[in-house]
C-alpha cells in the first residue's frame, strides 16, 4: 500500500509537470476504491493508458461531466427566460401602478396582464404615488413588498409636500379593511376579514414610494388568488442648477417694467441716479432670472439668493412678481427667497441715496448664476465737450445730429454728431438726467445748438449746431454746454467752449500726401484740401471730391486708387495704397470734381530705399564678383599644380645625383 501511494503521488506530479496528454495520464493514474477491499486501479499504473475512442474510463468521465453540464444548462435557460420577460414603460413621477384584480376569473389583472413588470424613472427626493384597487370577489389579501432602495409610506396620504420616508403604515379608516406592515412590506386585507364571503370591490390602497439615494426599487403587489404585478422604479440623482444654462437678464425700469420678464440681454450694466424719493428707495432696474439644468430645462423648487454690495439695495420677487408687492425683504446686504414653483424670479434693484458702483451677485445654493453692475451716480459737477464736425454751411443749415441712437463712430458727415458732451459727478461717474442748455457766442453765425442724451450711454449727450442764414464765409462762433446747479440755482456748470466756422461750397482743391518721400511699399495718405470762393474752408459735407486718380508709377494698392468722399474741416483723405517698389519720383494726378473750373490736380513724391531694380542689380554685381573670385581661385590652383610638378622634378634629379654619388 505504501508503494502504491508513492507511485500514485509520483504519477500525479508527472502529469502536472508534463502538461501534455493529460486526459490519458489522468485516466492512467485514476484510482477506484471499493468499500471493504484493497485499493485497486481502473487500469494498471504501469500499463499503457487507454487510447480507444469508447474506453471504459472515458465513459465514466463523460457520465460525470454530463450530470454537471445538465445543471448548468438548466440555469442558463432560466436566466434567458427571465431576461426575455420584458418591461413596459410608464410615465415617471407620481405614476400609479394601477393594479386591479379582476372580478370575473379571479386569475387575471384587468389593468395590466398578470406578471407584467411596470417601469418608471423618478428623481431622488420625490414621491411616486401607487394605487391598488381590490377585486370584488377573488382576492382577499394583497401583499406589497419593496426591495432594493427606497421605502413606502401611507400615513398621511403622501404628497411631495407632506410625505416622509419615515411615515409608518397604519389602519386607514376610509377603507372597509385594514393594513399592517412596515416601510418595505405591507399586508392589505381588502375587505371584511375573518372568513366573510362578501368583499368591498371598490376599496383602493394608496401609498407612495420614496428614495433618498439613487438606485432601483422594485415594488411587488401580489393577490392571494389573482396574480402579481411589479413596478420597478429607477431613482436617479436630482438635476442641479448650472451656471452655463441659467439666465439673468437686466434692464432699467425705464426700458422694461418691473415684473415683466426680460428674455434677452438688453443691458450688461445699468446707470441710475442714487437719489431717493422723499427718503424712500427708488426702483431703478430689475433682473429676470431663470434657473436651468440644461439649455431648455427649467428647474423649479430651487432657492435664489441676491447680494448687492457697494451701493443700493435689492429685493426678490417670486415667480417674476415685483419684489415690493410680495413683501420681500429689501436690504442693502442680501435677500433670499425659498424655492418657488416656476424656477423664475424677479430681482428688483433700488437706489439708497448712496453714489457709487454696486455689484449684484446671484446664486442658487452654491451655484453662481450671474454678476451684474449698477452705477449709482450723484448730481452732475462736470461737463467735457468733444468736437466732431467744424464748418457749417454759411447759407444756414443743420450740421450734425442730436439723436439718442445715432452712431458716434460713423464716418459719414450726415451720421455724425457736431459734438458730444460727457457729464460726470464728483466721483467721475457718468451722471444722467441733468437739466441742460447750450449757448452760442454769436447767434448771427451759429444760431443754435440742440443736445439729446444717449439712450445707450447715460450721461453722454449728442449735439448738433445750426448756422445763421446771413452768416459770412470764414466767420466763427464758440458754443458751450451748461448744466443747472441745484445748489446755486444757476447754469454755472459749463463745458469747454467749441469753435465752429461757416463756409461756402467747394471752389478750389489741392492734392497732397502726408510725406514728401516714402520707403519701399510704405503706406500713403492722400489728402484733398477744399476751399470756397472766399478762400476759406468749404463746409463739411459728403461728396466724391476728385475723379480720375492716376499714378505715374504703379502703386501697390489692392483696392485701387479711390477718391476721398467726406470733407471735414476743409480736408478729405483716403488711405489703402502704398509707395512704389521702384526708387524714384512718382506723380499722382486727378481731376477737380467739385470746383467750377474742373482743374487738373497733381502731387509728386519720392520712393526711396531699396527697390526691386536695385536689388536685382546688387544681385548681379554680387554674382559677377563671385565669378571673378572663382576664376582667381582656379588660377591659383593651376599655379600651385605647376609648382608641385617642378618640386617633384627637382626631387627626382636630386635622387639621381645621390645614387651616382654612392
Amino acid at each position: 500500500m505504501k508503494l502504491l501511494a508513492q507511485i500514485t503521488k509520483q504519477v500525479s506530479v508527472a502529469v502536472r509537470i508534463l502538461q501534455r496528454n493529460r486526459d490519458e495520464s489522468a485516466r492512467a493514474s485514476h484510482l477506484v476504491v471499493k468499500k471493504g477491499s484493497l485499493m485497486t486501479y481502473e487500469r494498471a499504473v504501469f500499463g499503457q493508458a487507454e487510447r480507444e475512442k469508447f474506453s471504459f474510463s472515458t465513459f465514466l468521465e463523460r457520465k460525470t461531466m454530463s450530470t454537471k453540464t445538465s445543471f448548468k444548462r438548466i440555469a442558463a435557460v432560466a436566466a434567458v427566460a427571465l431576461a426575455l420577460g420584458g418591461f413596459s414603460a410608464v410615465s415617471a413621477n407620481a405614476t400609479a401602478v394601477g393594479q386591479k384584480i379582476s372580478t370575473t376569473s379571479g386569475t387575471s389583472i384587468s389593468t395590466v396582464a398578470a406578471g407584467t413588470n411596470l417601469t418608471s424613472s423618478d428623481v431622488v427626493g420625490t414621491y411616486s404615488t401607487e394605487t391598488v384597487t381590490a377585486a370584488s370577489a377573488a382576492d382577499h389579501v394583497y401583499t406589497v413588498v419593496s426591495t432594493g432602495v427606497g421605502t413606502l409610506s401611507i400615513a398621511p396620504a403622501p404628497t411631495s409636500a407632506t410625505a416622509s420616508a419615515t411615515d409608518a403604515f397604519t389602519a386607514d379608516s376610509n377603507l372597509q379593511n385594514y393594513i399592517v406592515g412596515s416601510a418595505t412590506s405591507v399586508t392589505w386585507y381588502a375587505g371584511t376579514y375573518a372568513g366573510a364571503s362578501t368583499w368591498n370591490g371598490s376599496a383602493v390602497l394608496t401609498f407612495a414610494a420614496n428614495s433618498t439615494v439613487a438606485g432601483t426599487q422594485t415594488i411587488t403587489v401580489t393577490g392571494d388568488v389573482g396574480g402579481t404585478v411589479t413596478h420597478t422604479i429607477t431613482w436617479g440623482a436630482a438635476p442641479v442648477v448650472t451656471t452655463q444654462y441659467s439666465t439673468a437678464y437686466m434692464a432699467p425700469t425705464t426700458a422694461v417694467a418691473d415684473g415683466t420678464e426680460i428674455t434677452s440681454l438688453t443691458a450688461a450694466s445699468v446707470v441710475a441716479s442714487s437719489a431717493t424719493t422723499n427718503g424712500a428707495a427708488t426702483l431703478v432696474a430689475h433682473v429676470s432670472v431663470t434657473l436651468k439644468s440644461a439649455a431648455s430645462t427649467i428647474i423649479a423648487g430651487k432657492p435664489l439668493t441676491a447680494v448687492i454690495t457697494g451701493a443700493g439695495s435689492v429685493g426678490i420677487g417670486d415667480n417674476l412678481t415685483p419684489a415690493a408687492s410680495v413683501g420681500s425683504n429689501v436690504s442693502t446686504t442680501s435677500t433670499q427667497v425659498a424655492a418657488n414653483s416656476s424656477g423664475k424670479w424677479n430681482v428688483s434693484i433700488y437706489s439708497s441715496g448712496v453714489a457709487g458702483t454696486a455689484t449684484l451677485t446671484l446664486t442658487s445654493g452654491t451655484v453662481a448664476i450671474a454678476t451684474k453692475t449698477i452705477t449709482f451716480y450723484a448730481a452732475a459737477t462736470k461737463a467735457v465737450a468733444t468736437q466732431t464736425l467744424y464748418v457749417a454751411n454759411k447759407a444756414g443749415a443743420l450740421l450734425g445730429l442730436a439723436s439718442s441712437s445715432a452712431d458716434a463712430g460713423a464716418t459719414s458727415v450726415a451720421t455724425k454728431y457736431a459734438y458730444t458732451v460727457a457729464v460726470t459727478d464728483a466721483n467721475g461717474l457718468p451722471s444722467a438726467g441733468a437739466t441742460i442748455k447750450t449757448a452760442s457766442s454769436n447767434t448771427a453765425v451759429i444760431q443754435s445748438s440742440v443736445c439729446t442724451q444717449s439712450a445707450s450711454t447715460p450721461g453722454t449727450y449728442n449735439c448738433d449746431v445750426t448756422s445763421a442764414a446771413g452768416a459770412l464765409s470764414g466767420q466763427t462762433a464758440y458754443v458751450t454746454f451748461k448744466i443747472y446747479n441745484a445748489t446755486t440755482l444757476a447754469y454755472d456748470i459749463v463745458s469747454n467752449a467749441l469753435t465752429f466756422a461757416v463756409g461756402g461750397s467747394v471752389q478750389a482743391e489741392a492734392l497732397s500726401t502726408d510725406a514728401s518721400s516714402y520707403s519701399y511699399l510704405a503706406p500713403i495718405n492722400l489728402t484733398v484740401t477744399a476751399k470756397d470762393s472766399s478762400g476759406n474752408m468749404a463746409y463739411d459735407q459728403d461728396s466724391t471730391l476728385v475723379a480720375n486718380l492716376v499714378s505715374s508709377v504703379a502703386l501697390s494698392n489692392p483696392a485701387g486708387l479711390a477718391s476721398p468722399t467726406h470733407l471735414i474741416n476743409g480736408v478729405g483723405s483716403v488711405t489703402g495704397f502704398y509707395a512704389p517698389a521702384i526708387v524714384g519720383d512718382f506723380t499722382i494726378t486727378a481731376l477737380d470734381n467739385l470746383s467750377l473750373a474742373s482743374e487738373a490736380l497733381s502731387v509728386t513724391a519720392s520712393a526711396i530705399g531699396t527697390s526691386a531694380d536695385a536689388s536685382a542689380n546688387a544681385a548681379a554685381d554680387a554674382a559677377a564678383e563671385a565669378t571673378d573670385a572663382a576664376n582667381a581661385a582656379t588660377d591659383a590652383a593651376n599655379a600651385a599644380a605647376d609648382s608641385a610638378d617642378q618640386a617633384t622634378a627637382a626631387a627626382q634629379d636630386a635622387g639621381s645625383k645621390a645614387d651616382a654619388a654612392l
Side-chain angles (χ1 to χ4, degrees), residues 70 79 93 163 299 379 501 564:
S70 297
N93 290 333
I299 299 183

Side-chain angles (χ1 to χ4, degrees), residues 25-76:
S25 300
R27 289 194 295 270
S29 60
H30 183 65
L31 300 178
V32 178
V33 180
K34 296 181 180 180
K35 185 176 182 181
S37 65
L38 296 175
M39 179 181 295
T40 61
Y41 293 96
E42 282 187 80
R43 294 290 183 266
V45 174
F46 304 104
Q48 174 67 32
E50 299 167 328
R51 290 185 176 272
E52 65 270 20
K53 185 175 182 181
F54 299 104
S55 64
F56 178 70
S57 57
T58 302
F59 172 76
L60 291 177
E61 290 170 1
R62 291 186 177 177
K63 182 176 180 180
T64 303
M65 293 174 66
S66 177
T67 303
K68 296 179 180 178
T69 304
S70 297
F71 287 113
K72 294 181 180 179
R73 289 176 177 172
I74 292 172

Side-chain angles (χ1 to χ4, degrees), residues 239-247 290-295 297 299 364 367-369:
V240 296
V241 176
T242 63
T243 303
Q244 179 181 3
Y245 295 115
S246 297
T247 58
T290 303
L291 301 180
K292 294 182 179 181
S293 63
T297 305
I299 299 183
S364 179
V367 179
I369 303 302

Side-chain angles (χ1 to χ4, degrees), residues 384-407:
V384 177
T386 302
Q387 193 166 2
T388 308
L389 301 176
Y390 298 84
V391 184
N393 192 331
K394 68 177 183 178
L398 179 70
L399 178 65
L401 298 173
S403 171
S404 63
S405 59
D407 181 8

